[in-house]
Amino acid sequence: MFRPPRGTSVRATVTAATAAVALALTGCAGAGAVGGGDGETIVVAIVSNPQMQDAISLQDEFRAAHPGVDVRFVSLPENEARAKITASVATGGGEFDVVMISNYETPMWAENGWIENLQPYIERTEGYDAEDFVPSVREALSHEGDMYSVPFYGESSFLAYRTDLFEQAGLEMPANPTWDDVRELAAELHAPEEDFSGICLRGLAGWGEVMAPMSTAINTFGGGWFDEDWNATLDSPESREAIETYIDTLRTFGQPGAATSGFGDCLTRFAQGQSAMWYDATSMVSSVEDPASSTVAGKVGYAPAPVAETDTAGWLYSWSLAIPSTSEHKDAAWDFVSWMTDKEYMKLVGEEIGWERVPPGSRLSTYELPEYAEVSEAYADATLESMNGATQESAMTHEVPYPGIQFVGIPEFQDLGTRVGQQMSAAVAGQITVDEAIAQSQRYAETVAETYQAEEGR
């Protein structure tokens, strides 16, 4: 489905908005140093999420295996972490030795020379077994056949729903639900007077927040960010229908304060039994199915991402670890990276914290562990099927000139996606109309499109 544009190369420049964030790097709030303070210190920039907090809690195990390496974590919310990591790596700031990035950044940053080629490290690390990574994730984190980041966990998206409440209400989740199905089911179970929503969806501004699930809706309705000739299409009838459907569903059947709800907020709400359904990342299972923190563990079913005109609608994403080329502690950085993405780490999490907490979607062997297979019975197949089916061919109706499903794989997208996300979040909040949000978003996209059309001689 992806058709690369003629004559287009990845830019090594940084948008002014992103570069300006570099000024704030000194204000990063970290989790502190882990270790005795007498060894080589590496600084690891991560996204604040439950899986990463688990990794921090297990640092005594890393220290025991690597007594000469101290680890200092800089842990930040997703939007802030993404901006600060990008600003540091792109400008050669050198603040970080390990960074948490994704399959959006990896191939572009590899081409720019901003991150290290990890293939030589992988090949000389006995038992690391990169062939064990989920194939679609391994490919997405590679450039010219070599891996430049390695997955901590991988994900697609699916629709979680309360099987107990569906049974009580006499409702049945379709095998391949549509957005119309979702709206009808949400209407049946929505009870705002009881602080209970029919569905939880992201509304928080950010290309990795509201625009991730919304982009999959745009795709499956037949719309998109750009067509194959780099014409911006956010205001096409298909895109408009998808945007209107998503925002109306959220405003009508969604959670209170939806415009400020991201993944973490929906996770808390769903896990505490305050929502009947939740469409989001498959990685949710590590927390949703953890009885220590979730009141709905064992009461949740998982259906494919909602569709309209396509066969599938899931995304493909991986939070992964990379080593900036500016790091002066690359070997120590790889010690940490390989420890946290190895097969043995998955077993460590299961044995020390709980098998429900094992990072999903990165290694095939994880699903062969008897203990994990038992706790993941309800969602293992759904996770892998969603990841394997997350392709442009099945999730889009037309060809596009860029890689990515829930993102556009071009350097300008961080800024573009952020600006569009702000418009959509404002529409969710009722600060502007949906028409106003679409019109302004289209103008933003047209500005980006002009550059690529010029490169192709249009």
Side-chain angles (χ1 to χ4, degrees):
M1 180 68 70
F2 162 51
R3 179 183 60 79
R6 297 186 301 274
T8 299
S9 61
V10 177
R11 292 164 176 78
T13 58
V14 188
T15 65
T18 302
V21 179
L23 297 175
L25 280 168
T26 55
C28 291
V34 178
D38 56 352
E40 188 174 9
T41 298
I42 62 171
V43 181
V44 179
I46 59 173
V47 173
S48 299
N49 62 32
Q51 289 92 347
M52 290 309 301
Q53 294 306 311
D54 290 344
I56 292 173
S57 73
L58 293 170
Q59 285 309 293
D60 283 346
E61 300 289 338
F62 172 75
R63 179 68 176 174
H66 303 277
V69 181
D70 295 333
V71 182
R72 184 166 70 85
F73 290 95
V74 176
S75 180
L76 296 164
E78 180 173 332
N79 284 345
E80 189 176 353
R82 180 176 282 117
K84 290 186 175 181
I85 289 170
T86 298
S88 175
V89 175
T91 59
E95 292 88 352
F96 307 129
D97 299 292
V98 177
V99 290
M100 179 169 259
I101 60 175
S102 71
N103 50 308
Y104 164 71
E105 295 94 350
T106 297
M108 291 186 292
W109 291 13
E111 185 170 335
N112 289 349
W114 294 349
I115 52 178
E116 286 295 294
N117 183 347
L118 298 184
Q119 202 66 35
Y121 293 91
I122 291 170
E123 291 173 358
R124 68 172 181 251
T125 303
E126 185 177 355
Y128 187 69
D129 191 10
E131 295 301 310
D132 182 47
F133 291 132
V134 173
S136 58
V137 172
R138 185 175 68 245
E139 181 179 352
L141 299 178
S142 296
H143 173 63
E144 296 182 347
D146 288 348
M147 295 192 74
Y148 278 75
S149 69
V150 287
F152 179 54
Y153 67 79
E155 64 184 35
S156 183
S157 56
F158 53 29
L159 181 65
Y161 64 99
R162 289 282 300 280
T163 54
D164 56 334
L165 299 183
F166 269 59
E167 183 176 353
Q168 291 172 19
L171 300 174
E172 185 174 346
M173 176 63 71
N176 196 35
T178 65
W179 275 99
D180 285 342
D181 292 330
V182 168
R183 288 174 59 84
E184 291 174 7
L185 293 167
E188 289 286 337
L189 296 170
H190 190 55
E193 69 281 359
E194 300 175 14
D195 191 26
F196 187 87
S197 61
I199 192 167
C200 202
L201 293 169
R202 301 189 200 187
L204 181 65
W207 72 263
E209 287 287 0
V210 64
M211 295 316 300
M214 186 182 286
S215 290
T216 68
I218 292 172
N219 290 336
T220 192
F221 273 84
W225 287 80
F226 304 97
D227 67 17
E228 61 182 325
D229 295 320
W230 283 108
N231 295 304
T233 56
L234 288 175
D235 67 350
S236 70
E238 296 83 2
S239 295
R240 182 178 297 275
E241 183 181 6
I243 293 167
E244 290 174 344
T245 297
Y246 185 96
I247 292 178
D248 185 68
T249 301
L250 182 49
R251 293 189 55 147
T252 307
F253 309 116
Q255 70 279 12
T260 58
S261 292
F263 174 85
D265 301 288
C266 281
L267 172 59
T268 298
R269 186 171 182 85
F270 189 79
Q272 296 308 308
Q274 294 178 292
S275 184
M277 295 182 290
W278 178 26
Y279 170 50
D280 216 304
T282 57
S283 59
M284 69 170 73
V285 296
S286 296
S287 296
V288 168
E289 297 294 346
D290 180 6
S293 59
S294 172
T295 64
V296 301
K299 303 175 183 178
V300 180
Y302 301 92
V307 296
E309 301 296 330
T310 61
D311 294 331
T312 68
W315 68 60
L316 180 66
Y317 198 75
S318 173
W319 279 121
S320 60
L321 299 177
I323 301 174
S325 297
T326 53
S327 171
E328 297 180 357
H329 310 283
K330 293 184 177 67
D331 288 341
W334 173 250
D335 286 341
F336 175 80
V337 168
S338 60
W339 173 81
M340 213 175 88
T341 58
D342 190 75
K343 295 177 184 179
E344 295 303 314
Y345 177 82
M346 308 302 171
K347 297 178 183 177
L348 179 65
V349 172
E351 293 166 355
E352 296 295 326
I353 299 176
W355 290 99
E356 299 87 356
R357 305 289 292 190
V358 172
S362 62
R363 287 188 171 276
L364 296 171
S365 58
T366 299
Y367 294 86
E368 298 172 358
L369 297 171
E371 299 90 342
Y372 187 72
E374 181 178 352
V375 302
S376 67
E377 183 177 1
Y379 55 83
D381 289 344
T383 297
L384 292 176
E385 287 172 7
S386 296
M387 294 182 69
N388 290 332
T391 66
Q392 290 184 337
E393 286 76 13
S394 63
M396 295 179 175
T397 63
H398 57 274
E399 291 189 352
V400 293
Y402 55 82
I405 298 175
Q406 83 282 22
F407 59 77
V408 179
I410 57 175
E412 295 87 348
F413 186 69
Q414 280 214 45
D415 184 56
L416 172 61
T418 297
R419 289 172 181 268
V420 172
Q422 290 167 345
Q423 293 295 310
M424 298 304 168
S425 185
V428 171
Q431 297 169 349
I432 60 176
T433 67
V434 174
D435 284 344
E436 289 171 333
I438 291 173
Q440 183 59 64
S441 298
Q442 174 71 9
R443 288 192 287 270
Y444 289 147
E446 286 173 349
T447 299
V448 171
E450 289 172 0
T451 302
Y452 286 88
Q453 288 174 335
E455 289 180 351
E456 294 197 351
R458 293 193 175 89

